[in-house]
Amino acid sequence: PSNTTYADMAVSIGLPVVFTTLRRMRGTQFESTIHALDTTGKTAQQIAQDVTTRLEAFIRQNPDQWLWVHRRFDKALYK
């Protein structure tokens, strides 16, 4: 399960959720796309799942653009 803190806050305050995807075009040029989610009547869990599903779809369509920014696996694997 992913962290739902941002979604909990959105539901309690009544604000929309937005996230962005970046695609490297060439060199240091990037294309940024802002995605606004319709959170009306959704629970925090549903919002988090929607974000995860959309992010997963972007990664599957653009696997060369994916960059993991922290060590995900056991420390022994990085030695």
Side-chain angles (χ1 to χ4, degrees):
S2 60
N3 187 319
T4 62
T5 302
Y6 69 92
D8 291 327
M9 291 173 57
V11 169
S12 68
I13 299 171
L15 294 175
V17 172
V18 297
F19 72 97
T20 186
T21 52
L22 293 172
R23 184 186 320 215
R24 182 183 297 270
M25 301 309 283
R26 61 188 152 121
T28 58
Q29 294 181 345
F30 293 85
E31 175 185 85
S32 176
T33 305
I34 298 172
H35 308 269
L37 304 179
D38 179 12
T39 59
T40 307
K42 292 185 180 177
T43 66
Q45 188 63 41
Q46 289 170 322
I47 294 168
Q49 183 60 56
D50 192 12
V51 170
T52 300
T53 300
R54 289 170 181 250
L55 180 58
E56 184 179 84
F58 176 79
I59 294 167
R60 288 183 189 277
Q61 292 171 0
N62 306 281
D64 58 319
Q65 299 290 320
W66 177 241
L67 173 66
W68 194 266
V69 294
H70 67 80
R71 293 184 174 190
R72 180 167 174 88
F73 304 104
D74 188 275
K75 291 179 183 179
L77 293 173
Y78 296 101
K79 291 183 180 179

